[in-house]
Amino acid sequence: MKSDINLKLISGNANKALAGSIARRMSVYRGAPVNLANARVERFNDKEIFVEVYDNVRDEDMFIIQSTSNPANDNLMELLIMADALRRSSAQRVTAVIPYFGYARQDRRTAARTPISAKLVANLITQAGVDRVLTMDLHAGQIQGFFDIPVDNLYAAPVFALDIKANFPDLSEVTVVSPDVGGVARARELAKRIGAGLAIVDKRRSKPGEIEEMMIIGDVKDRVCIIVDDICDTAGTLCKAAELLEQEGGAKEVHAYISHGVLSGPAVERIGKSVLKSLVVTDSIEQPAPVRGEERIRVVPIGPMFAQAILNISNGSSVSSLFKEDTLGPIYEAFYPID
């Protein structure tokens, strides 16, 4: 890997741990130190956000690492203001690395007089001076079309496949489960990667946030079920689906793999009391102490994948190559040794 690529990383306050992980992995890949740009992202007394970049960024290929997770509005504004600061400082290109893209659940009008907030946020990011977006597991793939700039959407499925193969020795008894009809494509992709069967939990909502009825499509009796989804917020749907699979479907045990662990409100308590044997999330969102303290919740790293993606973007290499397990496997060899 060339070490003379003219790139720099900068991080907001949303997920400093992930930003540091990406920088360390990039240092290993390049064989040269990669540090986060020296900057301050602070607030005035009235909570207005102030950004000052101390490093020279003129003609640099800049990558802002910032998830728009809770507090979503504050983290989004940090991203926009950092992009504006870099653009006004003559950065050659500004790429927003958004591991978790907030407001993605509002990607269409579900009722009269409602917004399409995902499109609004895409417009804000573009107008702030961002030239490219790198994200992971958008809630809806069509959100890429909301941007008038290039968008690279990575997937957690290849990393999940590596983790499942390392932790489930008998894949012949595994069935991948989609918690709703809308997530079938995501579940099918993971099932294909590990050579497992597929089932669906079909749910009907009486109104947003409330489930009226759930039923299982497919045979899960005496199977090890792995529920896969992109977002787990309050964990209500996830825990009910796990209970349905075990009590009515006859599943041997139920696990879950979730790309973005929002885990707000009663989520951790619900998971602790649920029939779930384990919940695996990525570190796209920095988890607080209560989440890290729950023994059923495990975090897998996405820093190695994002580090390689950033290098590929900067030097003009393929990003889609990271969708392949034979490419991603060597990157994750420290976590999942290759036989």
Side-chain angles (χ1 to χ4, degrees), residues 141-168:
Q142 66 265 22
I143 293 175
Q144 296 178 71
F146 293 175
F147 289 87
D148 293 324
I149 55 177
V151 176
D152 291 301
N153 185 30
L154 300 176
Y155 299 100
V159 181
F160 286 165
L162 292 171
D163 190 87
I164 290 169
K165 290 177 180 178
N167 288 281
F168 294 85

Side-chain angles (χ1 to χ4, degrees), residues 38-259:
N38 187 15
R40 62 172 175 150
V41 183
E42 299 177 349
R43 280 154 180 74
F44 292 115
N45 291 333
D46 63 354
K47 305 305 178 183
E48 283 185 12
I49 295 168
F50 174 75
V51 172
E52 184 175 7
V53 182
Y54 296 116
D55 290 356
N56 178 23
V57 299
R58 184 178 296 274
D59 292 330
E60 296 279 3
D61 193 4
M62 297 299 303
F63 291 82
I64 307 171
I65 303 171
Q66 178 81 339
S67 283
T68 52
S69 50
N70 184 36
N73 297 333
D74 285 0
N75 289 330
L76 174 60
M77 281 303 300
E78 282 189 11
L79 172 62
L80 299 176
I81 294 172
M82 284 190 291
D84 185 75
L86 294 173
R87 181 175 63 86
R88 295 178 186 278
S89 302
S90 302
Q92 183 183 77
R93 181 174 64 174
V94 177
T95 300
V97 180
I98 313 174
Y100 171 66
F101 182 81
Y103 286 103
R105 286 173 282 185
Q106 301 178 51
D107 64 305
R108 64 193 185 282
R109 297 188 70 195
T110 56
R113 296 172 295 280
T114 57
I116 304 179
S117 302
K119 171 60 175 171
L120 172 62
V121 171
N123 288 343
L124 290 170
I125 291 171
T126 303
Q127 290 301 313
V130 171
D131 299 295
R132 190 181 195 98
V133 170
L134 174 64
T135 186
M136 184 184 77
D137 275 343
L138 286 170
H139 185 62
Q142 66 265 22
I143 293 175
Q144 296 178 71
F146 293 175
F147 289 87
D148 293 324
I149 55 177
V151 176
D152 291 301
N153 185 30
L154 300 176
Y155 299 100
V159 181
F160 286 165
L162 292 171
D163 190 87
I164 290 169
K165 290 177 180 178
N167 288 281
F168 294 85
D170 187 3
L171 293 177
S172 65
E173 64 177 9
V174 171
T175 295
V176 176
V177 180
S178 172
D180 53 43
V181 175
V184 171
R186 182 180 299 106
R188 184 186 295 117
E189 172 65 20
L190 180 59
K192 181 180 178 182
R193 287 180 180 275
I194 63 174
L198 179 66
I200 304 167
V201 174
D202 183 29
K203 64 175 182 278
R204 298 179 184 178
R205 293 186 184 273
S206 55
K207 59 182 180 180
E210 293 187 11
I211 300 171
E212 183 178 6
E213 182 183 1
M214 300 179 79
M215 63 177 290
I216 302 170
I217 302 174
D219 184 15
V220 298
K221 185 174 177 58
D222 297 325
R223 306 289 294 171
V224 174
C225 291
I226 297 178
I227 301 173
V228 59
D229 206 356
D230 64 321
I231 295 174
C232 177
D233 192 348
T234 60
T237 299
L238 179 64
C239 293
K240 286 182 180 179
E243 185 177 336
L244 182 73
L245 289 166
E246 187 173 277
Q247 296 182 1
E248 295 190 24
K252 183 190 297 185
E253 56 186 52
V254 183
H255 304 260
Y257 278 74
I258 307 295
S259 302

